[in-house]
Amino acid sequence: MAKRIHNFNAGPAVLPLPVLEEAQEHLVDFHGQGHSLMEMSHRGKTYDAVHTQTIADMREVMHISDDYEVIFMQGGASLQFAAVPLNLAPAGGKVLYADTGSWSTKAMQEASKLGYAMQQVAGSGDAEYTYIPTIDAARLDKDAAYLHITSNNTIRGTQYHSWPATGDLPLVADMSSDINCRVVDIDKFGLIYAGAQKNMGPSGVTIVIMRKELLARSPKNIPSLTNYATIAGKQSLYNTPPTFAIYLIGLVLKWIAGQGGLPAIEKTNRQKAAKLYALIDGTDFYRGTARVEDRSLMNVTFRLPSEDLEKRFVAEATEADMIGLKGHRSVGGCRASIYNASSLADVEALVDFMGEFERRNG
Amino acid sequence: MAKRIHNFNAGPAVLPLPVLEEAQEHLVDFHGQGHSLMEMSHRGKTYDAVHTQTIADMREVMHISDDYEVIFMQGGASLQFAAVPLNLAPAGGKVLYADTGSWSTKAMQEASKLGYAMQQVAGSGDAEYTYIPTIDAARLDKDAAYLHITSNNTIRGTQYHSWPATGDLPLVADMSSDINCRVVDIDKFGLIYAGAQKNMGPSGVTIVIMRKELLARSPKNIPSLTNYATIAGKQSLYNTPPTFAIYLIGLVLKWIAGQGGLPAIEKTNRQKAAKLYALIDGTDFYRGTARVEDRSLMNVTFRLPSEDLEKRFVAEATEADMIGLKGHRSVGGCRASIYNASSLADVEALVDFMGEFERRNG
């Protein structure tokens, strides 16, 4: 059997081994059909079954009701930064954002650039984005088109653990880095989007889950490939979708179901994060960077006593087949991304290594 | 060895078997690194080498000079239908199009929808798009932002065999269905774009080749993921690219080089098309639908004496492991798409089958 490293990459990130193995087995000859899924028409019977089943499985795993559309798009979260205001707000209309770090900021900048009246209603920029700010839902402008949040912040290692109650104002969430890491009540959201490359599949496909009634807002004069109503109206087959990436999402969903669904996934994720945070909290050698109550289940950010030690830590971890532990280049430090496909054993190996590294260097 | 069918799909389409086999071999464990390319950071050393080499190989295979940028985007040709006017024309500005069928028409509709002064300067809609119209370059409005053509028309089976000389007016070509089917003088174009899923790789990635001087035209207030200058400025790493799809493009480019480059590919493509058209022209049973001098090297469209016979033809071909021969649902009839990865042997098998089918039913 091939070597398998401990992959703590922030994204693209670790995928479940059985998913990769199944994709590999059928890559050249898809279930005896004599050609690859990548070589099949997106309007043919075989791909259509994959496409339809993937959407059905997503509905099942995530408990998505019929009030919501499930759409596949391209362009990652970055295209959604534009698509959300283009579809949900009138030209130049008011849109609300909570700023919890780099990705929120980019979403806000994109809305401003496109001419919307972007208003920041909460933010944690005053403390280097180390916490999740409180959003006073009662004081939100009800004339705005939506409130946008970033549910998990990969760079700073923070995550929302409760949702602002926005009432009739649609809550829009970029869940790129924590979709399906836990049970989420979809009904609390107007729209959820996520690039697949952390918890759902490879890069190159974006998942959009949105309240059907919001489709009526999409104007006609925006690029078709950003138009939710256009794409939803064709069941995500308006043009050729990224078929292989969607197939992989389907395999990941089957893997989630096989693990016991999101309740079981969440339980394991909490165990994984607890182990790492317990180690960090039990010593002065490692120091967590996010406010304790806002810590992410997916991205555990921490510092060592010096940058030199951080460099050595990352280098020695890599030697020990643990990769991806360097913090984001914009903030430095260390980060362990422990997405769904990262196992308890991966985390235990890291915890052991961290303890041992401290004993040698503490 | 697994069965390998004769794949005449219009797209997503046949890929070279050695490309699929290499991707399969390394899918779980990328060259001994203990994880898949899909699980690697797009900013890491390994993916960066793949990304950079793929661009270098594209420059080499296609003879793209330093006057041009090579960009990877998402969203297929359909996103380019918007990106081209958004980047190259001022808001509401004049843009010129030649209409050679469904895909041209969609590009024109998108430009109109986005508020540009779209002008059709040539078209073959008067004869069901069965020919390539003459474009009188001398009479084109020099104040327009560009002239857009669709170099190959998959549905009607027509293809440009010479390029309009537009002088200073940038010539923009949608080459989705014939990129790299032959030697092309890139310098004749301002911008070339192509969804990868016919001749270059899987669906989910788009290639844009554009004159660098045109990057200065991109306005700031368009969606970042449609902005050529934004994406080119970050070497197509503005956000997470579809890494696995770009890797496959790299493998396809290596395969093209191994075949002897585009001159050799073109020679084989001409042989393949000649064999099919010779059979069609040598009988009254099969009837080609495109004007002879405008016939496509990639999509051979033809009719049989009756729709019943066409149905039987497609069904019996499928029984004989030849798939994808049904014409596009909008026009009916039959179509053999013989992209680069479709071999001379595939075409010979089809020619044999067609001869035999005629003997039984003629």
Side-chain angles (χ1 to χ4, degrees):
Chain A
M1 212 189 97
K3 168 180 93 168
R4 182 85 174 147
I5 49 140
H6 303 291
N7 185 344
F8 300 105
N9 277 335
V14 60
L15 290 164
L17 183 58
V19 166
L20 292 172
E21 286 173 338
E22 180 161 351
Q24 179 176 47
E25 181 183 349
H26 300 290
L27 188 124
V28 172
D29 180 7
F30 194 72
H31 294 275
Q33 297 206 30
H35 58 315
S36 173
L37 183 82
M38 288 187 257
E39 304 175 293
M40 291 183 187
S41 170
H42 56 296
R43 306 204 184 276
K45 218 161 53 178
T46 301
Y47 177 71
D48 190 60
V50 167
H51 189 89
T52 307
Q53 191 61 48
T54 301
I55 292 173
D57 288 348
M58 197 170 319
R59 288 189 176 281
E60 178 86 12
V61 163
M62 299 181 72
H63 293 286
I64 302 168
S65 82
D66 284 345
D67 294 338
Y68 287 78
E69 281 286 345
V70 174
I71 311 175
F72 295 121
M73 291 175 73
Q74 297 184 53
S78 296
L79 187 67
Q80 298 303 316
F81 297 165
V84 165
L86 284 171
N87 282 274
L88 300 188
K94 185 178 291 182
V95 294
L96 311 181
Y97 285 75
D99 183 19
T100 52
S102 182
W103 296 104
S104 303
T105 311
K106 283 186 191 186
M108 294 161 65
Q109 287 166 343
E110 187 83 358
S112 295
K113 201 177 65 179
L114 295 175
Y116 296 91
M118 194 283 298
Q119 188 188 328
Q120 179 183 321
V121 297
S124 48
D126 57 342
E128 291 191 322
Y129 299 115
T130 52
Y131 70 99
I132 297 291
T134 302
I135 297 170
D136 186 350
R139 297 183 58 182
L140 296 176
D141 186 339
K142 299 299 181 200
D143 293 336
Y146 57 82
L147 167 66
H148 180 284
I149 63 172
T150 311
S151 59
N152 183 71
N153 302 282
T154 47
I155 295 177
R156 301 290 179 161
T158 62
Q159 186 176 29
Y160 284 80
H161 293 296
S162 65
W163 309 115
T166 55
D168 287 341
L169 184 70
L171 180 62
V172 174
D174 175 359
M175 288 198 186
S176 294
S177 55
D178 68 349
I179 188 166
N180 285 351
C181 83
R182 55 187 167 180
V183 175
V184 164
D185 182 359
I186 304 287
D187 289 336
K188 293 212 186 323
F189 296 87
L191 189 149
I192 292 166
Y193 64 86
Q197 70 270 14
K198 283 115 170 19
N199 259 347
M200 290 294 288
S203 61
V205 57
T206 312
I207 296 142
V208 177
I209 300 160
M210 67 183 289
R211 219 172 246 289
K212 284 179 182 167
E213 66 193 28
L214 292 175
L215 289 169
R217 294 195 188 181
S218 299
K220 291 208 189 314
N221 62 343
I222 62 174
S224 301
L225 263 278
T226 66
N227 192 311
Y228 297 135
T230 299
I231 298 174
K234 300 284 187 183
Q235 290 77 47
S236 304
L237 292 165
Y238 171 77
N239 70 334
T240 316
T243 54
F244 190 70
I246 292 171
Y247 158 66
L248 285 169
I249 288 180
L251 295 185
V252 168
L253 287 163
K254 283 191 177 64
W255 175 82
I256 290 176
Q259 299 290 304
L262 291 184
I265 291 281
E266 174 171 346
K267 189 175 163 208
T268 305
N269 282 336
R270 290 193 184 281
Q271 285 176 325
K272 284 152 52 186
K275 272 184 195 286
L276 261 175
Y277 286 123
L279 175 110
I280 288 168
D281 291 342
T283 159
D284 291 332
F285 186 75
Y286 298 106
R287 179 171 50 84
T289 60
R291 188 165 71 177
V292 171
E293 57 268 42
D294 300 326
R295 280 170 167 176
S296 171
L297 293 171
M298 297 282 99
N299 310 96
V300 177
T301 52
F302 55 97
R303 304 295 312 230
L304 273 66
S306 74
E307 288 188 16
D308 269 359
L309 276 170
E310 286 168 349
K311 258 187 210 157
R312 202 187 307 165
F313 175 83
V314 171
E316 290 186 16
T318 306
E319 281 298 304
D321 284 338
M322 300 182 195
I323 66 157
L325 291 166
K326 196 175 166 185
H328 190 268
R329 62 195 184 287
S330 64
V331 298
C334 296
R335 170 176 57 179
S337 296
I338 49 173
Y339 297 116
N340 287 356
S342 155
S343 68
L344 197 56
D346 288 322
V347 170
E348 284 168 348
L350 176 59
V351 165
D352 287 349
F353 173 81
M354 287 172 73
E356 193 253 333
F357 187 87
E358 179 185 354
R359 279 189 293 281
R360 280 192 287 114
N361 297 280
Chain B
M1 214 189 93
K3 167 178 92 166
R4 182 83 175 150
I5 50 137
H6 303 290
N7 185 343
F8 300 105
N9 277 336
V14 59
L15 289 164
L17 183 58
V19 166
L20 293 172
E21 288 174 337
E22 180 161 352
Q24 180 176 46
E25 182 184 347
H26 301 290
L27 189 124
V28 173
D29 180 8
F30 193 71
H31 295 277
Q33 296 206 31
H35 58 316
S36 173
L37 183 82
M38 287 186 260
E39 303 175 293
M40 290 184 189
S41 169
H42 57 298
R43 305 203 186 277
K45 219 161 53 177
T46 301
Y47 177 71
D48 190 59
V50 167
H51 190 89
T52 307
Q53 190 63 47
T54 300
I55 293 173
D57 287 349
M58 197 171 317
R59 288 190 177 279
E60 177 86 12
V61 162
M62 299 181 73
H63 293 287
I64 302 169
S65 82
D66 286 344
D67 294 338
Y68 287 78
E69 282 286 345
V70 174
I71 311 175
F72 296 120
M73 292 175 72
Q74 297 185 52
S78 296
L79 187 66
Q80 298 303 315
F81 296 166
V84 165
L86 285 172
N87 282 273
L88 300 188
K94 186 179 289 182
V95 294
L96 310 182
Y97 285 76
D99 182 19
T100 52
S102 182
W103 296 105
S104 304
T105 310
K106 284 186 189 182
M108 293 161 65
Q109 286 167 344
E110 187 83 0
S112 295
K113 201 177 64 177
L114 296 175
Y116 296 90
M118 196 283 296
Q119 189 188 327
Q120 179 182 322
V121 297
S124 49
D126 58 342
E128 292 189 323
Y129 299 113
T130 52
Y131 69 100
I132 297 292
T134 302
I135 297 171
D136 187 350
R139 296 183 59 181
L140 296 176
D141 187 338
K142 300 300 182 197
D143 292 336
Y146 59 80
L147 167 66
H148 179 283
I149 63 171
T150 311
S151 58
N152 183 73
N153 303 281
T154 47
I155 296 176
R156 300 291 178 160
T158 62
Q159 186 176 29
Y160 284 80
H161 294 295
S162 65
W163 309 114
T166 55
D168 288 341
L169 185 70
L171 180 61
V172 174
D174 175 358
M175 288 198 186
S176 293
S177 56
D178 68 349
I179 190 167
N180 284 350
C181 85
R182 55 186 167 180
V183 175
V184 164
D185 182 359
I186 304 288
D187 289 335
K188 291 210 186 323
F189 297 87
L191 189 150
I192 292 167
Y193 64 85
Q197 69 270 15
K198 282 109 169 19
N199 260 346
M200 291 295 288
S203 60
V205 58
T206 314
I207 296 142
V208 177
I209 300 161
M210 70 184 289
R211 221 172 246 288
K212 284 179 182 168
E213 66 192 29
L214 291 175
L215 289 169
R217 293 195 189 181
S218 299
K220 293 209 188 312
N221 63 342
I222 61 174
S224 300
L225 262 279
T226 67
N227 191 313
Y228 297 136
T230 298
I231 298 173
K234 300 282 188 185
Q235 288 78 47
S236 304
L237 292 165
Y238 171 77
N239 70 334
T240 316
T243 54
F244 190 70
I246 291 171
Y247 157 67
L248 286 168
I249 288 180
L251 295 184
V252 169
L253 286 164
K254 281 190 179 64
W255 175 81
I256 291 176
Q259 299 290 304
L262 291 183
I265 291 281
E266 175 171 347
K267 191 176 160 202
T268 305
N269 281 336
R270 291 195 184 279
Q271 286 177 324
K272 285 151 54 186
K275 272 184 196 286
L276 262 174
Y277 287 123
L279 175 112
I280 288 168
D281 291 341
T283 159
D284 291 334
F285 186 75
Y286 298 107
R287 181 171 48 83
T289 60
R291 188 165 72 177
V292 171
E293 58 269 40
D294 300 325
R295 281 169 165 175
S296 170
L297 294 171
M298 296 282 97
N299 311 96
V300 177
T301 53
F302 54 96
R303 306 293 312 230
L304 272 66
S306 74
E307 289 187 16
D308 270 0
L309 277 170
E310 287 168 348
K311 258 188 209 154
R312 203 186 308 162
F313 175 83
V314 170
E316 291 187 14
T318 305
E319 282 297 307
D321 283 337
M322 298 181 198
I323 66 156
L325 291 164
K326 197 173 165 187
H328 191 268
R329 61 196 186 285
S330 63
V331 298
C334 298
R335 170 176 57 179
S337 296
I338 49 173
Y339 296 117
N340 287 356
S342 155
S343 68
L344 198 56
D346 288 321
V347 171
E348 284 168 349
L350 175 59
V351 164
D352 287 350
F353 172 80
M354 287 172 71
E356 193 253 334
F357 187 86
E358 181 185 354
R359 278 189 293 279
R360 279 190 288 113
N361 297 281

